[in-house]
Amino acid sequence: MTEGVKAAYDFDGVICEDCPKDIPNDKEKYLKFLRTVKPLYLPHTDQIPMIITGRHEQYRKVTMDWLEEHGLSVDPKKLIMRPFEKDDSIWVEQVSLFKGGLYKISNFNLFIESSLAQSERIKDISKKPVFCPSFGMLP
């Protein structure tokens, strides 16, 4: 018997619309975005198996509230949020290492990532399949 697909998800750009680049630098605007962002590709399950996101850990409550508001949930231990401060000059590399490293040691066999640049790095780091909705499955 073959095991089915067990996917881990990025949050922004997959589960909900991606955040405009200028908003995260303004905390008030960013909190409003997090509370009101529109859903994008909602998984067809009530319980999302795992989310690995570049969102900072300080936004856990608003993220969990948003999921609940949209009829979704994730085990709080399976919502993995960025614990480090971002460095804009190396953001893609920082977050790709974070996501790719966690995906690599997980028992998941697919990662769904919105950013093509991050998708490519996550695939290189994890040596596992990555799907980017705007591109498709990475070869």
Side-chain angles (χ1 to χ4, degrees):
M1 181 186 292
T2 310
E3 184 179 324
V5 174
K6 190 170 180 187
Y9 296 80
D10 175 27
F11 202 97
D12 298 291
V14 174
I15 295 173
C16 68
E17 292 179 344
D18 219 345
C19 185
K21 301 284 183 231
D22 60 321
I23 289 182
N25 297 324
D26 180 323
K27 190 167 183 165
E28 199 172 299
K29 284 183 182 177
Y30 189 55
L31 280 169
K32 181 179 179 185
F33 167 82
L34 295 177
R35 289 185 187 106
T36 62
V37 63
K38 293 180 181 164
L40 195 55
Y41 305 111
L42 295 181
H44 294 286
T45 179
D46 291 344
Q47 180 84 22
I48 300 171
M50 178 174 274
I51 298 170
I52 306 173
T53 178
R55 284 187 184 187
H56 194 278
E57 179 65 39
Q58 69 182 321
Y59 301 110
R60 176 174 291 277
K61 181 172 178 359
V62 70
T63 300
M64 294 295 285
D65 290 348
W66 187 94
L67 286 166
E68 184 178 335
E69 181 181 324
H70 290 88
L72 298 168
S73 67
V74 64
D75 178 332
K77 295 176 190 163
K78 301 279 184 164
L79 172 60
I80 314 298
M81 303 182 82
R82 172 176 57 89
F84 53 87
E85 293 306 316
K86 70 177 189 160
D87 178 341
D88 289 337
S89 66
I90 57 169
W91 173 246
V92 169
E93 186 63 16
Q94 278 183 318
V95 174
S96 300
L97 284 168
F98 172 67
K99 292 176 181 178
L102 289 167
Y103 174 44
K104 180 178 184 171
I105 63 171
S106 77
N107 63 347
F108 290 85
N109 56 18
L110 180 65
F111 192 83
I112 303 169
E113 168 61 48
S114 63
S115 161
L116 181 56
Q118 286 187 47
S119 294
E120 290 169 337
R121 286 296 293 136
I122 292 166
K123 183 178 182 293
D124 291 344
I125 292 162
S126 68
K127 308 294 188 233
K128 292 179 173 184
V130 177
F131 178 79
C132 180
S134 63
F135 181 81
M137 199 65 146
L138 297 184

